[in-house]
Amino acid sequence: MRRVIIDTDTAGDDTQAILLSCLSDRVTVEAVTIVAGNVPFDREVENAKYTLDLADSLDVPVYEGARQPLLKEFEHATYIHGEDGLGGDVFPDTGIESAAGFGPDEIVDRCRAAPGEITLLCIGPLTNLALAYAREPDLPDLVDEVWVMGGNVNCEGNITPAAEFNLWVDPDAAKRVFDDFEVTLVDWGVCLRDAVFGTPEFEAVSAFDTELASFFESVTEKARAFNSEGPDDPGWTALPDSVTAALLAYPELREEVSTYHVAVDDRDGLTCGYTSVDVNGVTDGEPNTHVVESVDNDAFQSVMYSLLQSRDPDSGIAE
C-alpha cells in the first residue's frame, strides 16, 4: 500500500489520475494539493473536490497551494480542457471547504511526520514541491518517491517545440526539483506512444454506460476535438496523468526504466522549460532521474477500462 499525496492542477486527465489512485487498493491517497496550471486556480480546487466526491473519497483533504509560478507568467490551457477544466460544461460548485493550511506546508508536515513513507504524485507544475523544499531542505531525504508527469525526452513539446506544459509553466520550480530530488519521470513522449485513447477505445468506454465512463467522455471531449483532423474525425487524447498514476500503483506496467541526468532550462527564450536528458552520459551531471521509457499499453488500457466500468482499477491487472 503506497501512501500518496497528489499534487495537481486539476483538469481533464488529472481527474482520472485522482479516481484511479483513490479507487485502487494499492494506494492510499492522504491529501490532494492544488497548484496553478491548467485552468483558473479556483476551478482546479472545485474540480478536485468534485472528483473526490465521484470517488466517494471526501475524507481526503484538499489543500490550496501556489496560485502562480515562482517567477514566470503563463497562460492557462482552457483551449484543451474547457473553461471549467472538465470539458466546458460542468463548472462544479461543491460547497466543500478546503482544508486549513497551505499545500506546500502540508507536504512538509506530512513528510516530516512519516519520513520515508510518503510518495508525491506530481501531475501539474512543480511550484508546490519547490516551495515545500524551500521550507524543508531535508525534504529530498524525507520523501519515499517523487513521481512527475512532465517534460519531453528528446521529442517535441506540447506547448512549445522545446517544452511540455507542466515544466514550461514553472521552469524555475522544475529546475530546483530535478537538481535535488531523485525523480521518476513520465514524459510527454512516452505518453504519446503508450497512453493514447482513440476511436476504438472511446467506443469501448461508451459501451460501459457507467457514471465514471460518462465522466471520462465528458472531460476528454474538448481535448479530442482539439486533436481532431477534420469534421469526420472524432479525435484522440493522450492520458499522461492517468498513466503516471497507474505506473506508480502498478509496477507491472513499467516495461523499461532508465536512469539519466536531467536538467531543466529555466532561462527565458525559445528553450524555456526544455528537459535536457543526458542519455549518452556526456555531461558531468549525476544520473538521478528514473525515466520511464516504455509502458505496457495493453495493461494500462485494461486498468483504465476496469476503472471506468467497475470502479476497480486493480481488476485490470492480471494475477
Side-chain angles (χ1 to χ4, degrees), residues 97-169:
E97 293 290 329
S98 296
F102 186 46
D105 291 337
E106 191 64 22
I107 291 171
V108 169
D109 290 347
R110 288 176 181 261
C111 289
R112 282 174 175 165
E117 296 183 19
I118 304 294
T119 290
L120 304 180
L121 174 58
C122 301
I123 52 176
L126 295 172
T127 317
N128 281 342
L129 180 51
L131 289 172
Y133 181 36
R135 287 156 167 73
E136 174 50 88
D138 291 331
L139 190 59
D141 297 321
L142 294 175
V143 298
D144 180 9
E145 294 183 14
V146 176
W147 282 73
V148 172
M149 187 286 122
N152 45 311
V153 178
N154 298 319
C155 69
E156 183 180 355
N158 63 0
I159 186 69
T160 73
E164 177 275 333
F165 180 81
N166 283 347
L167 300 197
W168 173 84
V169 166

Side-chain angles (χ1 to χ4, degrees), residues 106-293:
E106 191 64 22
I107 291 171
V108 169
D109 290 347
R110 288 176 181 261
C111 289
R112 282 174 175 165
E117 296 183 19
I118 304 294
T119 290
L120 304 180
L121 174 58
C122 301
I123 52 176
L126 295 172
T127 317
N128 281 342
L129 180 51
L131 289 172
Y133 181 36
R135 287 156 167 73
E136 174 50 88
D138 291 331
L139 190 59
D141 297 321
L142 294 175
V143 298
D144 180 9
E145 294 183 14
V146 176
W147 282 73
V148 172
M149 187 286 122
N152 45 311
V153 178
N154 298 319
C155 69
E156 183 180 355
N158 63 0
I159 186 69
T160 73
E164 177 275 333
F165 180 81
N166 283 347
L167 300 197
W168 173 84
V169 166
D170 198 340
D172 303 282
K175 178 174 174 56
R176 298 179 194 187
V177 169
F178 279 88
D179 282 353
D180 292 327
F181 285 80
E182 184 176 348
V183 168
T184 300
L185 178 66
V186 181
D187 87 295
W188 178 241
V190 77
C191 296
L192 272 185
R193 190 184 68 237
D194 295 337
V196 168
F197 269 32
T199 299
E201 291 77 23
F202 275 96
E203 288 177 349
V205 170
S206 183
F208 296 155
D209 193 25
T210 64
E211 180 183 38
L212 294 190
S214 296
F215 180 58
F216 176 78
E217 291 179 284
S218 174
V219 299
T220 55
E221 183 176 0
K222 186 82 172 179
R224 292 187 74 193
F226 179 82
N227 292 321
S228 172
E229 295 183 356
D232 297 325
D233 177 17
W236 56 272
T237 188
L239 302 174
D241 301 324
S242 300
V243 78
T244 303
L247 287 162
L248 187 161
Y250 309 110
E252 303 95 318
L253 271 59
R254 309 170 201 170
E255 287 189 336
E256 183 179 359
V257 182
S258 302
T259 303
Y260 305 116
H261 174 69
V262 175
V264 177
D265 190 349
D266 61 348
R267 301 169 297 178
D268 290 337
L270 287 174
T271 57
C272 183
Y274 172 70
T275 40
S276 173
V277 182
D278 186 9
V279 297
N280 294 316
V282 297
T283 70
D284 58 2
E286 178 185 355
N288 65 345
T289 299
H290 310 295
V291 177
V292 177
E293 299 202 82

Side-chain angles (χ1 to χ4, degrees), residues 59-82:
D59 57 326
V60 176
V62 174
Y63 294 89
E64 298 181 20
R67 288 178 170 262
Q68 60 188 31
L70 296 181
L71 301 172
K72 181 177 176 289
E73 294 184 358
F74 78 106
E75 295 179 4
H76 300 299
T78 53
Y79 59 94
I80 294 288
H81 304 291

